[in-house]
């Protein structure tokens, strides 16, 4: 009865859980208003990431490529960045922020994107665009380091580093959400409103879920402004919900501007949400209102209907972004389930020392494996070798493991392309806890019906 | 004003350009072979002359030609009233036009590329 | 002026030569867009990279192979599960993707050993699979890993396996088309002729440039088999690795997507004397013409004719039902490459729509020659390497009723009130074959006449909210201007096929083919 943390033993990756760093940087870029990221690399590094965003959100987001071709691989591609910036500025008159996002190819050929940005600032921007507000932000995200998770973390820090500027205290808190969905941002803003807290939400992506309107074009876009980013230095404090997706930026603000940082936990599940509210309250001095206590009560009422009747002792495997996976595991344990396998898809050495993981190692009273640098074949292979599961939680790329082995699966994380509208619903907060638990139940109920596995439990009360 | 023969050639050209793909191989030398191989045999089929189809290439050109000739006869009934000599002139002019459109007048800069 | 400069591209005037407006009496010798040139950075071009052209478009549809990308995980991850190239072996090639997971230390010290360990681990994980392809990526090309020598080492140690190496890193060309080219040439150079196929029919073809999108290959395969033709290989949709090593034994190359696969047909013609026949699997007449020509070549035309007759009788009334309702609708035909010429003329002829624009993301000038020739609409805009702002401007000025394009561009078209049909992966395909063509017409009809689509144009703050209808059917919209005779016609009808029109083909038997198999068995004895 123990929780074991270990690396995947097989060489290489069969069916990766994550994509690479530039994708994370691109996800951050689209959260900023009047911003188009320029991905410095081959066209695929940008085009396919745009496709995955569009598969997930059923929307198209603006991202550009420096379109690295053969000659650039030989002679360097910085001229492609210069031209790309110019073309973007000429054709997008409202554009203010252009992050230059590096990739494996341009890091290997040694293109100095910081240098080219200095040159552009001193040259092109002064000469051709005097008086226009333009910010070029270097983001180093070589694909052979980390994963989309660390790419996200690096990009948030790069933006904060580029804009944060000390001024008068603004009385706000910084809320760094991590890699979440529009539904999560809506829920977080709801909580902030209930607590009467003024916050800078990084990143404000509620409008990723864009409408279809009769006259105006409502293309989806992020709404975090330059002022928002600049003001992060003047906040009361920073709460980064996810340690690995925004934690770096929170630390930077603390180290550089003495803005106190609270990092984690992701408010997934009741306990983590309670803790989040407590941190909010501590940071702002605002009390936790009755309205949220009521919502919590509604959530607990819903969970009680499910836990000991349906969830107890059900075995769960979870894969995806580390903060999400760990918080989901904690929530599952509260729901009387047994998360027997957690798969974290990159080789980040610090996972091992994560206090949440150490706590699992110290306290769980059933067998649990946490696999680092994992892939989805690890999950499949273990099932083939006898691992019994009642539920899988993770993103859509793992759908075949569930389908082929006839295990119910709840889509959580990124990307989810095979379920309608999942980005619209929260995973965080009390409402997120309800959504998660009820959807877990519903996929298991469907499975009971298809397999005729005591399906009458559902029908006759 | 185009003369009658030109009108007729235009109709045949238009049919090929709208319905066929063989005239658009990627290199000039292949286009020459295709145009020559297929249109010569089309003429031979239309004139009931013997057609070379013993080699794989010849057989392929012949298949395209048989089919094109058949469609010409059904789509453009006037062709059935032409003499063999007239048909030969017609197809010669057709080939000249197709050669112009796809080879000598083509703006496709890849036609001269020596490799596939 | 035949060349056209979009307002949004006035600041990049070199774009002018990439766009042509089809003028009256103008020919392709008067104006032709430039093509296959390096992309202008920062334009938000829709192009992909060379790696994806090689691996994702052509390599991966091969169904019985471990497809391994040598590089960081992103290239594999990002292209994985983004296109509907199914197979009849339960989609092994879609389910599994392999990356060597190159890390910083490999970049410094080389990743040859990592690659070897990966290949061996992959074969161990799937002991029933004996074939493997390796795709170079930007990173491993730049660090100079020698993929061939590693592949050879493994093949020497494991004689039962065969490995194909494709050196097509993402940066090695203007678009995915560079990758199509590289993998074509690499395959004919290194793999064709290394396996002898079993010949079981007098009539043998390679079916080339066909990727089994939603079952296209299986639909066409059905026709070929009904004619008694043995498909030695399909390049590459639903295709087998070893079959593709035997391409040199076919009597005819039947070529569908010339854009992605004409190179191998040209090489097979040059090296092995196999003729190349370009065909169209889309549209009743082009498909009928194609089947008949193949029939003529093999001297079995009556078999083709029987198929054409049967299929036309079954499906033409349904195509015509949609044609009556799609007449005059304006479409932008904005695919990747070959569909611009496969579809340009025949959708006008057989569905009655007006093609007001064609574009190609990665086509060459040859594709524009075909596409512009086949496009019937005067004033149509032909655009090479389109970008987002140009597409939006084109839609503003051309006012199409529907566009045929990729998933992501389809999303921004939706926002300006233009529905889209997925031209790459299809909405509810397959679109090849007679039934498939009706499915395409059905999907276009459903897009254009969607009652929900109509609602999106109503501004409830200002416009009159109608109380007339509590619902609207598609026919209430589409039939309003049709004559009573057409509306009441019993000789035409809506699509009557099933949601899945492919799976049942896998169970069929083929008398002509069995006759041939028997004949060749006796010849061998």
């Amino acid at each position: 009865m123990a929780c074991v943390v270990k690396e995947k033993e097989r060489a290489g990756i069969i069916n990766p859980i994550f994509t690479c760093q530039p994708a994370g940087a691109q996800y951050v870029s689209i959260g900023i208003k009047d911003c188009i990221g320029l991905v410095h690399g081959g066209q695929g590094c940008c085009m396919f990431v745009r496709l995955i965003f569009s598969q997930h959100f059923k929307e198209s987001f603006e991202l550009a490529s420096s379109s690295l071709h053969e000659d650039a691989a030989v002679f360097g591609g910085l001229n492609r960045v210069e031209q790309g910036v110019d073309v973007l500025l000429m054709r997008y008159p409202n554009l203010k922020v252009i992050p230059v996002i590096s990739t494996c190819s341009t890091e290997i050929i040694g293109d100095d994107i910081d240098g080219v940005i200095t040159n552009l600032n001193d040259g092109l921007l002064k000469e051709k665009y005097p008086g226009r507000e333009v910010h070029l932000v270097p983001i180093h995200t070589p694909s052979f380091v980390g994963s989309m998770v660390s790419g996200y973390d690096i990009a948030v820090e790069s933006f904060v580093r580029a804009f944060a500027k000390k001024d008068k205290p603004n009385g706000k808190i910084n809320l760094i959400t991590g890699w979440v969905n529009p539904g999560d941002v809506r829920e977080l803003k709801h909580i902030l409103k209930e607590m009467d807290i003024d916050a800078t939400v990084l990143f404000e992506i509620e409008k990723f879920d864009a409408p279809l309107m009769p006259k105006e074009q409502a293309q989806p876009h992020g709404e975090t402004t330059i002022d928002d980013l600049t003001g992060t230095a003047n906040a009361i404090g920073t709460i980064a919900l996810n340690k690995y997706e925004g934690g770096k930026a929170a630390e930077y603000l603390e180290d550089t501007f003495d803005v106190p940082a609270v990092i984690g936990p992701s408010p997934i599940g009741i306990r983590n949400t309670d803790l989040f509210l407590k941190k909010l309250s501590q940071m702002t001095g605002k009390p936790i209102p009755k309205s949220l206590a009521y919502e919590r009560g509604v959530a607990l009422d819903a969970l009680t209907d499910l836990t000991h009747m349906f969830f107890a002792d059900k075995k769960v495997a979870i894969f995806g972004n580390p903060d999400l996976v760990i918080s989901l595991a904690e929530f599952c344990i509260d729901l009387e389930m047994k998360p027997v396998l957690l798969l974290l898809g990159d080789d980040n050495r610090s996972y091992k020392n994560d206090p949440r993981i150490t706590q699992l190692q110290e306290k769980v009273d059933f067998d649990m494996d946490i696999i680092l640098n994992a892939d989805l074949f690890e999950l499949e292979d273990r099932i083939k070798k006898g691992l019994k599961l009642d539920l899988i939680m993770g993103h859509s790329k793992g759908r075949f493991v569930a389908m082929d082995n006839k295990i119910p699966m709840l889509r959580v994380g990124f990307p989810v392309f095979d379920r309608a509208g999942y980005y619209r619903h929260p995973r965080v907060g009390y409402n997120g806890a309800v959504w998660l638990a009820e959807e877990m139940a519903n996929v298991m109920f469907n499975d009971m019906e298809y397999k005729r596995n005591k399906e009458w439990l559902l029908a006759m009360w | 004003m185009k003369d009658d023969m030109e009108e007729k050639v235009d109709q045949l050209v238009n049919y090929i350009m709208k319905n066929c793909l063989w005239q658009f191989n990627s290199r000039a030398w292949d286009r020459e072979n295709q145009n020559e191989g297929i249109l010569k045999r089309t003429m031979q089929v239309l004139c009931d002359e013997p057609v070379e189809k013993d080699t794989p290439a010849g057989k392929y050109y012949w298949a395209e030609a048989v089919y094109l000739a058949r469609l010409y006869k059904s789509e453009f009934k006037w062709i059935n009233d032409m003499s063999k000599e007239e048909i030969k002139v017609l197809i010669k002019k057709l080939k000249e036009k197709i050669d112009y459109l796809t080879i000598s007048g083509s703006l496709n800069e890849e036609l001269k590329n020596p490799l596939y | 002026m035949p060349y056209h400069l979009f307002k949004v591209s006035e600041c990049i005037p070199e774009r002018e030569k990439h766009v042509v407006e089809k003028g009256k009496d103008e020919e392709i010798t008067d104006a032709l867009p430039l093509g296959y040139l390096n992309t202008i950075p920062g334009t938000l071009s829709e192009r992909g990279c060379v790696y994806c052209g090689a691996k994702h478009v052509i390599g991966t549809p091969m169904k019985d192979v471990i497809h391994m990308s040598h590089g960081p995980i992103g290239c594999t991850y990002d292209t994985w599960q983004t296109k509907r190239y199914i197979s009849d072996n339960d989609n092994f090639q879609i389910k599994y993707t392999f990356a060597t997971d190159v890390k910083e230390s490999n970049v410094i010290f080389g990743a040859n050993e990592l690659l070897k360990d990966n290949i061996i681990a992959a074969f161990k994980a799937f002991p029933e699979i004996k074939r493997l392809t390796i795709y170079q990526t930007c990173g491993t090309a730049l660090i100079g890993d020698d993929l061939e020598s590693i592949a050879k080492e493994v093949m020497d140690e494991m004689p039962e396996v065969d490995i194909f190496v494709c050196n097509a890193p993402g940066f090695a060309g203007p678009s995915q088309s560079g990758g199509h080219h590289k993998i074509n040439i690499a395959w004919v150079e290194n793999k064709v002729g290394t396996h002898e196929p079993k010949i079981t029919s007098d009539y043998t073809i390679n079916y080339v440039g066909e990727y089994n999108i939603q079952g296209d290959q299986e639909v066409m395969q059905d026709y070929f088999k009904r004619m008694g033709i043995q498909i030695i290989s399909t390049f590459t949709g639903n295709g087998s690795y070893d079959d593709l090593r035997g391409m040199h034994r076919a009597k005819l190359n039947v070529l569908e997507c010339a854009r992605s696969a004409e190179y191998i047909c040209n090489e097979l013609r040059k090296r092995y004397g196999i003729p190349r026949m370009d065909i169209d699997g889309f549209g009743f007449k082009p498909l009928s013409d194609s089947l008949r020509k193949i029939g003529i070549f093999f001297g079995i035309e009556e078999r083709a004719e029987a198929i054409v007759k049967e299929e036309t009788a079954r499906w033409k009334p349904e195509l015509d039902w949609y044609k009556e309702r799609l007449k005059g609708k304006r479409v932008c035909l904005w695919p990747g490459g070959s569909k611009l010429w496969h579809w340009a003329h025949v959708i006008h002829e057989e569905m009655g729509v007006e093609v007001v624009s064609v574009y190609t993301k990665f086509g060459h000038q040859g594709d524009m020659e075909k596409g512009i020739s086949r496009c019937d609409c005067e004033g149509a805009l032909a655009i090479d390497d389109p970008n987002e702002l140009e597409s939006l401007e084109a839609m503003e000025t051309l006012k199409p009723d529907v566009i045929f394009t990729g998933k992501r561009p389809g999303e921004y078209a939706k926002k300006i009130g233009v529905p889209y049909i997925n031209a790459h992966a299809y909405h509810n395909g397959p679109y090849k074959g007679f039934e498939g063509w009706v499915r395409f017409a059905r999907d276009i009809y459903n897009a254009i006449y969607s009652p929900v689509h109509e609602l999106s144009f109503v501004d409830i703050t200002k416009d009159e909210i109608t109380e007339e209808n509590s619902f609207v059917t598609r026919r209430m919209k589409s039939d309003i201007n049709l004559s009573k005779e057409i509306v009441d016609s019993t000789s035409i009808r809506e699509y009557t096929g099933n949601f899945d029109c492919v799976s049942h083909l896998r169970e069929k038997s083929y008398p002509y083919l069995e006759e041939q198999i028997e004949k060749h068995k006796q010849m061998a004895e």
Side-chain angles (χ1 to χ4, degrees), chain A residues 11 19 34 62-63 84 88 99 116 128 192 194 205 219 240 270 278 288 297 304 313 346 371 392 422 424 438 447:
Chain A
T19 181
D34 302 323
E62 288 170 339
L63 285 159
L88 280 168
V116 80
K128 193 166 169 183
L192 293 166
E194 293 301 315
I205 61 163
Q219 303 289 359
I270 305 294
K278 179 183 165 185
I288 298 171
T304 314
D313 297 323
D346 60 24
I371 310 298
I392 295 173
Y422 268 28
R424 190 167 297 120
E438 290 182 340
D447 185 68

Side-chain angles (χ1 to χ4, degrees), chain C residues 332-445:
Chain C
C332 288
L333 173 48
W334 287 352
S338 65
K339 285 176 194 106
L340 94 100
W341 39 268
H342 273 313
W343 291 352
H345 178 59
V346 68
I347 54 176
H348 174 69
E349 286 290 300
E350 299 189 355
M351 298 180 193
V353 300
E354 300 296 331
V355 178
V356 296
S357 175
V358 291
Y359 85 33
T360 172
K361 299 179 188 195
F362 53 79
H364 297 217
Q365 287 186 297
D367 299 286
M368 277 297 192
E369 288 185 305
K370 295 180 207 176
I372 294 172
S373 300
R374 284 185 160 195
C375 178
D376 300 275
C377 183
E378 212 174 274
L381 271 188
I383 313 165
D384 167 67
D385 179 21
N387 58 63
E388 198 150 313
L389 290 177
E390 291 180 357
S391 302
L392 285 163
E393 182 176 327
M395 283 189 280
E396 290 296 337
T397 51
L398 297 170
K399 306 253 179 274
D401 295 293
V402 64
I403 66 172
F404 307 153
T405 188
K407 156 121 196 79
R408 193 191 46 72
E411 297 297 344
Y412 65 70
K414 176 178 84 178
K415 297 294 189 201
I416 57 168
V418 180
Y420 93 103
I421 296 288
N422 191 324
H424 311 309
Y426 309 151
H427 264 58
N428 195 351
Y431 289 167
K432 273 184 187 166
F434 295 89
E435 182 178 2
W437 197 239
V438 178
R439 293 170 79 94
F440 185 25
R442 184 262 330 256
D443 286 355
I444 301 170
Y445 172 82

Side-chain angles (χ1 to χ4, degrees), chain C residues 34-58:
Chain C
L34 294 173
Y36 197 51
L37 296 177
N38 284 354
T39 318
I40 302 171
T43 48
L44 276 71
S45 156
E46 289 175 11
R47 286 170 157 183
C49 62
V50 173
Y51 158 85
C52 87
K55 187 253 181 189
H56 184 51
V57 176
I58 296 189

